[in-house]
Amino acid sequence: MIAKKSPLILEGQIINSLFGYIGLFIIRFIGLQQWGFLSFSLAFIGVLSIFSDLGFNSAHLRFMSMNDPDRAKYNGSFLTLKFITTFGTVLIILAALYVWIDVLHRGFQSPVEYYSILILIPYFAFNRLKDFYYITFNAKMQAARMMLPQIVEAVFRNSAFIYMGVDV
């Protein structure tokens, strides 16, 4: 049984590494200014994403590790909380952009920074929702299934970075 699922772990690591290398190779040649735009966008979203976890990941891992018949209830509650905190964080990011641009009448050095933030918001949301599967399968000690969200996340993340690097 373990031998059948183990190749997925290897395949996941290869896919993650391959897409990361392709993304790194393309981003390496985009220039310092574009690299700064990407770094600023990641930092902007990172600072405002403080409310996306609130310790629920650790609590869910603890509850799922117990041999409790209410695992379905824990999963449903945790998934609902992940949707609420993720959606709330996306709203916080969009509200911060609105306040910065429209209320305070500030802007960014380049419109590329603004559009980079908008491109990275779906990546951020997907990355936060991916934690549900990662933690659930980690608690159940199902490492092979745990790799599936990581593979999808690596493909999505590096595709967004490559798009930003080529488009800029």
Side-chain angles (χ1 to χ4, degrees):
M1 183 86 171
I2 294 175
K4 291 181 182 179
K5 293 183 180 180
S6 295
L8 186 59
I9 297 171
L10 177 63
E11 292 165 1
Q13 292 295 330
I14 290 171
I15 290 170
N16 289 347
S17 300
L18 182 64
F19 270 92
Y21 182 72
I22 292 169
L24 177 66
F25 183 74
I26 290 175
I27 289 177
R28 180 178 178 182
F29 296 107
I30 65 173
L32 291 176
Q33 186 175 16
Q34 288 80 6
W35 179 256
F37 291 155
L38 177 63
S39 298
F40 171 78
S41 302
L42 288 170
F44 186 88
I45 290 176
V47 166
L48 295 175
S49 68
I50 194 168
F51 301 107
S52 64
D53 181 20
L54 301 175
F56 293 125
N57 290 349
S58 301
H60 183 64
L61 181 62
R62 179 178 173 268
F63 284 120
M64 288 302 294
S65 297
M66 298 185 310
N67 289 327
D68 194 346
D70 288 336
R71 279 186 168 180
K73 183 172 72 172
Y74 296 147
N75 277 337
S77 299
F78 182 61
L79 187 58
T80 303
L81 285 171
K82 287 307 278 183
F83 272 110
I84 290 170
T85 57
T86 300
F87 184 69
T89 304
V90 168
L91 288 178
I92 289 171
I93 293 168
L94 293 174
L97 287 173
Y98 173 75
V99 167
W100 184 253
I101 294 171
D102 293 334
V103 175
L104 298 176
H105 300 293
R106 303 283 183 170
F108 295 106
Q109 182 180 2
S110 168
V112 175
E113 291 173 329
Y114 175 73
Y115 293 118
S116 296
I117 291 169
L118 293 180
I119 288 171
L120 289 176
I121 287 175
Y123 159 70
F124 160 78
F126 179 77
N127 193 26
R128 293 301 178 233
L129 293 175
K130 167 192 73 94
D131 291 344
F132 168 75
Y133 297 102
Y134 182 79
I135 290 170
T136 301
F137 292 133
N138 190 15
K140 292 181 179 180
M141 302 302 285
Q142 296 175 335
R145 289 184 183 171
M146 189 174 63
M147 288 305 297
L148 290 173
Q150 290 181 349
I151 292 170
V152 174
E153 186 264 338
V155 170
F156 189 81
R157 175 191 64 228
N158 290 306
S159 298
F161 290 173
I162 290 168
Y163 174 76
M164 289 171 50
V166 172
D167 191 43
V168 172

